[in-house]
Amino acid sequence: MTPACDPAVLAGQMADACAWADRTLGRISVALVYGGISAEDQLYISKSPPEQLSVTALSDTLTGLGVRYEVLDPCRPSFIRDLARFDVALPNLHGPFGEDGRLQGLLDYLRVPYCGSGVAASAIAADKILCKHMMASLGVPTPAWRTCPGPAAVWPGRPVMVKPRMGGSSVGMSLARREEDLSGAIAEAESSDPPGVLIEDHLPGVPVTVGVLELPAGIAVFPPLATQVHDGDFYDADAKLDAAGEGTVSCTQAALPAPVTAALNTYVARLWGGLGCHGMARADFIAAGDGTVAALEVNTTPGMSYDSNFITAAGLLGFGHADVVIAILREALTRPRYDAPLPVPDFTGRPVQHS
């Protein structure tokens, strides 16, 4: 899908999405899927004030748009039965079971349209090791890496980032600057589920993130945001949470040379198309001082709180929270269906009649 950069084009496409919303949103029901199914989501739900949660912002926006919706917790026994009652699902789960293709596969089986990427893109992006292979195949530069178990436990003689294979928000991730730090960092990362550890060369530079939103005729690539950590070694889970509002991290539009921004846009579009993303995504990079960039991760379910990186970057293009929600709902409900329709599961309890 072709990136759209011209402000007039973007405004026209958003106007088309809003016209669709005026015709449609009053007639549909939305399952807002949110709950503590992963360690990442449990962390945010347990420690963040309500106003910092995505579910708060999404609930407010859906109410403002006049949409009938209900928050569905995937940890409740009635979750699957309840999902089948809605016209579309808006998942905002992160980590295993919510962002890694398993929820998306369930929704496909239930024949419920949903916001965001499908099974394959979600599964590959969520798995940091598989995503590294995808980056290499697409010609997207990424820091040198290795996996553990294997030769990874041998100290390479330079700082490394040690990451669990799955999960986000830097949960279980460590920066090992010295050889004696490596074994402890690996042990922490190995405690995640499923098992697997990625050890990645730590590149000095500016962490930047680039969001993508799918519009009716193309994708909008957001201006890159630069992340500055004021208290800590890197952008870890505590810094991202910032539950006390101490301002330990700031995210502002990155002041990058035009060729660097152009490279970021190229690589983001390449990752989007290569993975087969839908709806929205966010890719994280390191911009080095020599003008090169290296991709770190792809997030197919960005956080949607008012102050999240994704919503902040959308605002740089003039898109509000409601605009983003409209765009992803429109994409979900207008995405082409499968060629061969599948039967919708019957939860009524009536006996099945076989012909």
Side-chain angles (χ1 to χ4, degrees), residues 13 42 46 50 87 142 169 209 245 269 304 331 349:
Q13 291 196 31
Q42 291 170 18
S46 65
D87 297 312
T142 187
S169 291
T209 186
M304 294 279 283
E331 191 282 323

Side-chain angles (χ1 to χ4, degrees), residues 34-46:
Y34 194 91
I37 199 169
S38 70
E40 184 180 352
D41 281 328
Q42 291 170 18
L43 175 69
Y44 278 97
I45 291 170
S46 65

Side-chain angles (χ1 to χ4, degrees), residues 15 21 26 31 36 40 53 83 97 106 114 118 126 159 169 171 173 196 199 222 254 280 286 290 304 319 353:
E40 184 180 352
L53 294 173
L83 270 178
F97 294 98
L106 171 64
Y114 53 92
S169 291
V171 175
M173 193 166 89
I199 300 179
F222 297 164
M280 57 185 170
I286 287 290
D290 61 359
M304 294 279 283
F319 297 158
Q353 300 295 323

Side-chain angles (χ1 to χ4, degrees), residues 126-214:
D127 186 318
K128 296 181 181 67
I129 295 173
L130 290 181
C131 196
K132 283 283 194 178
H133 288 294
M134 177 62 76
M135 290 171 181
S137 71
L138 294 172
V140 175
T142 187
W145 58 280
R146 58 212 70 90
T147 61
C148 184
V154 177
W155 177 245
R158 54 190 176 276
V160 292
M161 297 301 305
V162 182
K163 305 178 180 182
R165 179 171 194 149
M166 299 284 285
S169 291
S170 302
V171 175
M173 193 166 89
S174 303
L175 171 57
R177 294 188 180 277
R178 303 169 301 173
E179 183 174 4
E180 53 266 36
D181 299 332
L182 184 59
S183 59
I186 291 174
E188 182 176 357
E190 281 180 331
S191 64
S192 64
D193 180 33
V197 176
L198 173 72
I199 300 179
E200 179 182 77
D201 284 2
H202 175 61
L203 299 185
V206 178
V208 295
T209 186
V210 184
V212 181
L213 181 67
E214 188 167 350

Side-chain angles (χ1 to χ4, degrees), residues 212-236:
V212 181
L213 181 67
E214 188 167 350
L215 297 174
I219 57 173
V221 178
F222 297 164
L225 286 184
T227 303
Q228 183 178 1
V229 180
H230 305 292
D231 183 15
D233 282 340
F234 68 99
Y235 197 18
D236 61 9

Side-chain angles (χ1 to χ4, degrees), residues 3-344:
C5 300
D6 183 84
V9 172
L10 292 174
Q13 291 196 31
M14 186 57 73
D16 290 344
C18 290
W20 170 90
D22 290 340
R23 299 189 303 268
T24 308
L25 292 187
R27 299 185 286 106
I28 65 170
S29 59
V30 176
L32 175 51
V33 184
Y34 194 91
I37 199 169
S38 70
E40 184 180 352
D41 281 328
Q42 291 170 18
L43 175 69
Y44 278 97
I45 291 170
S46 65
K47 294 191 175 183
S48 295
E51 61 272 16
Q52 290 185 16
L53 294 173
S54 292
V55 69
T56 301
L58 289 167
S59 296
D60 289 348
T61 292
L62 291 170
T63 299
L65 291 171
V67 178
R68 290 178 294 119
Y69 78 95
E70 185 176 330
V71 179
L72 297 188
D73 186 339
C75 298
R76 298 191 176 221
S78 61
F79 175 64
I80 295 176
R81 185 188 299 269
D82 290 341
L83 270 178
R85 297 190 285 108
F86 290 87
D87 297 312
V88 61
L90 198 173
N92 206 252
L93 301 174
H94 306 92
F97 294 98
E99 193 178 6
D100 61 356
R102 285 181 275 196
L103 173 64
Q104 291 73 20
L106 171 64
L107 289 164
D108 281 339
Y109 174 71
L110 295 176
R111 310 302 292 159
V112 176
Y114 53 92
C115 300
S117 294
V119 174
S122 300
I124 295 171
D127 186 318
K128 296 181 181 67
I129 295 173
L130 290 181
C131 196
K132 283 283 194 178
H133 288 294
M134 177 62 76
M135 290 171 181
S137 71
L138 294 172
V140 175
T142 187
W145 58 280
R146 58 212 70 90
T147 61
C148 184
V154 177
W155 177 245
R158 54 190 176 276
V160 292
M161 297 301 305
V162 182
K163 305 178 180 182
R165 179 171 194 149
M166 299 284 285
S169 291
S170 302
V171 175
M173 193 166 89
S174 303
L175 171 57
R177 294 188 180 277
R178 303 169 301 173
E179 183 174 4
E180 53 266 36
D181 299 332
L182 184 59
S183 59
I186 291 174
E188 182 176 357
E190 281 180 331
S191 64
S192 64
D193 180 33
V197 176
L198 173 72
I199 300 179
E200 179 182 77
D201 284 2
H202 175 61
L203 299 185
V206 178
V208 295
T209 186
V210 184
V212 181
L213 181 67
E214 188 167 350
L215 297 174
I219 57 173
V221 178
F222 297 164
L225 286 184
T227 303
Q228 183 178 1
V229 180
H230 305 292
D231 183 15
D233 282 340
F234 68 99
Y235 197 18
D236 61 9
D238 288 337
K240 291 179 180 180
L241 183 64
D242 192 20
E246 296 175 346
T248 57
V249 174
S250 58
C251 294
T252 57
Q253 185 169 354
L256 299 171
V260 176
T261 299
L264 288 170
N265 291 346
T266 296
Y267 293 139
V268 166
R270 197 176 293 176
L271 288 166
W272 175 278
L275 287 165
C277 294
H278 284 289
M280 57 185 170
R282 201 193 75 231
D284 298 334
F285 296 83
I286 287 290
D290 61 359
T292 61
V293 297
L296 302 178
E297 299 178 12
V298 178
N299 185 332
T300 54
T301 309
M304 294 279 283
S305 67
Y306 289 121
D307 295 327
S308 68
N309 292 346
F310 190 76
I311 297 299
T312 298
L316 297 175
L317 289 182
F319 297 158
H321 198 278
D323 294 322
V324 173
V325 171
I326 286 170
I328 61 176
L329 286 172
R330 185 212 65 85
E331 191 282 323
L333 285 164
T334 59
R335 191 183 306 173
R337 299 300 186 97
Y338 295 116
D339 293 335
L342 297 176
V344 177

